[in-house]
Amino acid sequence: MVTLFDKDGRLKPNARKIAMLLAIFYAFGIGLMCFTPQTFSGMETPGIKHYGRLVVLLTPFNSLVHLEAIQSFGQLVWVIGQNMVNILLLFPLIFLLLCLLPSLRRRSRACLLAFGLSLFIELTQLFLDWLIAANRVFEIDDLWTNTLGGLLAFWLFDYLFKKAPKA
């Protein structure tokens, strides 16, 4: 059986190189997805507020609070899909960072990192809207959904790490 971790819980050199490349590639993808101007002008999520070029969604648990405003099955799928994508957005990156950095392998650190990255993304999107009208939305729910993704990544890593053979 292939062992990815040494006896100290660190990735072996080849696995480390692959995980590092994947983390860099995925972080670049997050940057493209979160910081480039958004051109989709389809359905608008209920509860969005416009303040000049700034677009915000500050209602906690907005999908539940504005459930009655959803008028079609397509809009319901859109809202649920947005939440699912936000849960999964940081999941791969946090998982890879847990593989690469043993110092992060505590639930509180993984959640704090996911929350911090999410807050950075949201504030940067707000800044980009102010600067270049990027058509991004600062969403308060993204903070908890991204953090939940970080927690799920921690749980999966913890489970797999305990099962993984060590050399």
Side-chain angles (χ1 to χ4, degrees), residues 14-159:
N14 287 340
R16 185 171 184 74
K17 288 176 189 174
I18 292 169
M20 184 70 75
L21 284 172
L22 288 172
I24 291 168
F25 179 74
Y26 192 76
F28 181 72
I30 289 174
L32 286 176
M33 192 174 2
C34 295
F35 302 132
T36 55
Q38 190 173 15
T39 57
F40 181 77
S41 61
M43 293 179 225
E44 188 168 287
T45 304
I48 285 182
K49 303 287 184 207
H50 298 268
Y51 300 99
R53 294 197 308 200
L54 302 181
V55 184
V56 297
L57 187 50
L58 300 176
T59 307
F61 301 99
N62 184 66
S63 300
L64 295 175
V65 170
H66 290 104
L67 197 58
E68 79 285 346
I70 296 174
Q71 300 172 355
S72 69
F73 181 72
Q75 193 176 17
L76 178 63
V77 169
W78 172 257
V79 169
I80 291 171
Q82 281 184 311
N83 286 309
M84 296 305 295
V85 166
N86 279 309
I87 290 170
L88 297 175
L89 178 71
L90 295 179
F91 182 96
L93 183 61
I94 299 297
F95 184 86
L96 289 165
L97 291 174
L98 289 166
C99 290
L100 290 164
L101 304 169
S103 62
L104 285 178
R105 294 178 188 164
R106 291 180 45 203
R107 183 179 56 223
S108 60
R109 289 182 183 173
C111 287
L112 188 58
L113 177 62
F115 180 81
L117 287 171
S118 181
L119 184 60
F120 173 78
I121 289 168
E122 294 303 312
L123 291 175
T124 303
Q125 288 179 337
L126 200 58
F127 179 71
L128 286 172
D129 268 348
W130 174 76
L131 190 66
I132 62 169
N135 196 30
R136 305 304 304 191
V137 180
F138 176 97
E139 292 189 46
I140 205 78
D141 281 351
D142 288 359
L143 297 174
W144 75 263
T145 53
N146 292 161
T147 303
L148 176 59
L151 177 62
L152 294 174
F154 172 79
W155 283 338
L156 178 63
F157 174 83
D158 191 52
Y159 174 79

